Each structure stands twice: as structure tokens, then as C-alpha cells.
């Protein structure tokens, strides 16, 4: 998965006479809102033991010398059961499957008839997948990421996650949460990797803790005749 993210900047107060007063009021209000976003993430991690959703992923590669920026859009379904299994099943524009079964991460490319198999613990330590599917609570997540509350935007609450590890492939991830009463849903992931590639994943038609989602659905067997690579 390509990984990326952006930071929102608060507007400055424009009335010099009341700058101190309104600056304090704005800071106070934003602090309350930001605290709520981290609390919402905590509630999401505690209450959502499993999830299934459709997704649309937009990947924007930065412009390079003599080459403009590129945008690629893909879609499919996503599911997880905490704390060890998840799967992304891409349907468009190409069929691909990314399956974490608790021991290995499998990447299957149907066009190439090729499977890549990696150790799950090593492959996913500081990736967006650990943000969504592996962490049981904010405390465990903070062992891998610095979490900072962000201002609300697009009708969502936002939390920024920056890896502690200096050698991570990520710069930062923004987690967008939709809050309705006591219910918290994962709505967006906005991911920025170290190469400047941004990946925005929007989740739709989300089903929280579906009873029909079982561990058996996260087993992967390489198709007959497929090349299996173990880097």
C-alpha cells in the first residue's frame, strides 16, 4: 500500500484589538475539539473489534523532473478482525488481494499470477494497517506513533499519527473519524510517505462488528500455478 498525509493550518485572528482575547478563546475551543478527536480514536479502537467496508483509494504521486504528478484511483472492499487479521480486496482497475492472516502478509496480483509472502510482524510494524486493525487501544498505538489531535474538517474528527521510527516509510497518517453520538466509524485515511506520495482512502457502506465476519475469511492459499516470492 502506498502511504501518505497532509496537515491542516489554523487561520490567524485578524482583529488586532481583540487578538489576545479571541486568540485565547480560539485556542481553548480547538484544544477541546482536538482532545475529543483522540478520545474518539480511543473509543473506535475499543469498540470496533471487526469491520467490513467498501473503499475508494486515490494515490497521487508527486511531479518529478519532466514528469507531471500522477493520479491513480482504485476501489474494492476492506475487512479486519482485531488484533491480527485484515484484507484489502481490490476490484478495479486490477484485481489484487492483500491478506494478513496473523502470521504472513500475502499480496496476490491476478494479472501476473504472482504471490508475495512476507512476515506480518516485520512488514506491518509502523504501517497504516497497524493503525486500523492491530492496535487494541491508544496506549499500544502510541508505542509506534506520536498521536496529535487535529481540527475538525469535512464533517470528521482528525488525528495525526507520526511514526517514532526514523526509518519508517511513512511521514505521517491522518485518521478521519465520523462521530454520531456514541458511535465512531473510520471514514478516511490520508497517508503521506517519505517519497511525497499521498494516498487517500475513503471508506463507505461500513459494517461494524459484523457477526458473519469470521477468521476463516482471512485464510489465503496461493492459486494453483502462481509464482510465490518470499523476499
Amino acid at each position: 500500500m502506498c502511504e501518505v498525509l497532509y496537515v491542516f493550518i489554523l487561520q490567524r485572528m485578524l482583529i488586532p484589538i481583540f487578538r489576545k482575547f479571541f486568540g485565547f478563546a480560539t485556542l481553548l475551543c480547538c484544544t477541546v475539539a482536538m482532545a475529543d478527536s483522540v478520545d474518539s480514536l480511543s473509543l473506535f479502537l475499543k469498540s470496533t473489534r471487526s469491520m467490513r467496508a467498501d473503499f475508494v483509494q486515490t494515490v497521487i504521486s508527486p511531479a518529478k523532473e519532466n514528469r507531471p504528478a500522477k493520479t491513480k484511483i482504485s476501489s474494492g472492499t476492506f475487512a479486519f478482525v482485531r488484533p491480527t487479521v485484515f484484507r484489502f480486496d481490490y476490484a478495479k482497475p486490477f484485481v489484487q488481494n492483500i491478506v494478513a492472516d496473523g502470521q504472513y502478509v500475502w499480496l496476490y496480483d491476478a494479472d501476473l499470477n504472482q504471490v508475495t509472502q512476507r512476515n506480518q510482524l516485520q512488514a506491518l510494524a509502523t504501517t497504516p494497517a497497524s493503525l486500523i486493525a492491530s492496535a487494541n487501544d491508544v496506549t499500544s498505538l502510541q508505542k509506534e506513533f506520536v498521536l496529535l489531535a487535529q481540527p475538525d474538517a469535512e464533517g470528521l474528527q482528525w488525528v495525526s499519527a507520526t511514526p517514532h521510527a526514523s526509518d519508517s516509510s511513512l511521514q505521517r497518517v491522518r485518521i478521519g473519524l465520523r462521530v454520531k453520538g456514541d458511535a465512531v466509524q473510520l471514514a478516511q485515511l490520508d497517508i503521506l510517505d517519505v517519497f511525497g506520495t499521498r494516498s487517500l482512502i475513503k471508506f463507505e457502506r461500513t459494517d461494524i462488528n459484523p457477526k458473519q465476519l469470521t477468521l476463516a475469511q482471512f485464510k489465503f492459499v496461493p492459486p494453483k500455478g502462481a509464482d510465490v516470492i518470499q523476499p
Side-chain angles (χ1 to χ4, degrees):
M1 286 189 304
C2 299
E3 281 124 359
V4 308
L5 123 128
Y6 274 178
V7 179
F8 281 87
I9 303 174
L10 291 176
Q11 294 181 345
R12 296 180 180 178
M13 301 306 297
L14 299 178
I15 307 176
I17 297 177
F18 299 104
R19 182 178 297 161
K20 291 185 179 180
F21 173 78
F22 282 111
F24 173 77
T26 301
L27 176 61
L28 178 61
C29 292
C30 289
T31 299
V32 173
M34 291 180 186
D36 287 346
S37 68
V38 177
D39 291 343
S40 295
L41 176 61
S42 178
L43 180 58
F44 168 74
L45 293 174
K46 291 179 180 179
S47 63
T48 305
R49 310 314 305 167
S50 62
M51 170 180 146
R52 187 193 343 249
D54 297 339
F55 72 87
V56 176
Q57 180 177 11
T58 303
V59 178
I60 304 172
S61 301
K64 296 182 179 180
E65 188 174 342
N66 299 323
R67 291 197 329 191
K70 292 184 178 180
T71 299
K72 295 181 180 179
I73 299 176
S74 54
S75 61
T77 60
F78 168 69
F80 72 79
V81 176
R82 295 194 201 281
T84 57
V85 299
F86 70 86
R87 64 183 303 148
F88 278 92
D89 294 301
Y90 289 81
K92 296 179 180 180
F94 307 108
V95 174
Q96 285 188 327
N97 306 101
I98 302 173
V99 182
D101 63 11
Q103 185 175 5
Y104 298 105
V105 178
W106 305 85
L107 169 60
Y108 173 57
D109 188 313
D111 285 350
L112 298 177
N113 197 25
Q114 178 178 289
V115 177
T116 302
Q117 177 188 9
R118 297 178 182 272
N119 179 278
Q120 181 168 327
L121 184 61
Q122 295 175 351
L124 300 180
T126 56
T127 67
S130 65
L131 284 167
I132 309 170
S134 300
N136 287 311
D137 51 45
V138 165
T139 300
S140 61
L141 197 57
Q142 287 173 327
K143 294 178 181 179
E144 300 290 347
F145 296 89
V146 176
L147 301 179
L148 294 175
Q150 300 287 294
D152 293 358
E154 303 177 64
L156 304 177
Q157 293 185 3
W158 292 89
V159 177
S160 172
T162 304
H164 288 299
S166 58
D167 60 349
S168 173
S169 61
L170 291 176
Q171 284 193 44
R172 197 170 355 179
V173 180
R174 293 180 65 243
I175 308 163
L177 301 167
R178 181 173 292 108
V179 180
K180 294 182 178 180
D182 294 332
V184 182
Q185 289 187 357
L186 177 67
Q188 294 188 33
L189 288 176
D190 191 353
I191 310 160
L192 184 68
D193 71 12
V194 293
F195 302 105
T197 300
R198 182 188 181 197
S199 180
L200 179 61
I201 305 176
K202 296 185 177 182
F203 299 96
E204 302 173 341
R205 289 176 283 279
T206 302
D207 191 3
I208 301 297
N209 300 326
K211 294 182 179 180
Q212 67 273 25
L213 190 62
T214 66
L215 293 178
Q217 298 175 47
F218 299 87
K219 299 296 183 183
F220 181 84
V221 178
K224 187 176 181 179
D227 294 329
V228 179
I229 301 172
Q230 298 175 316

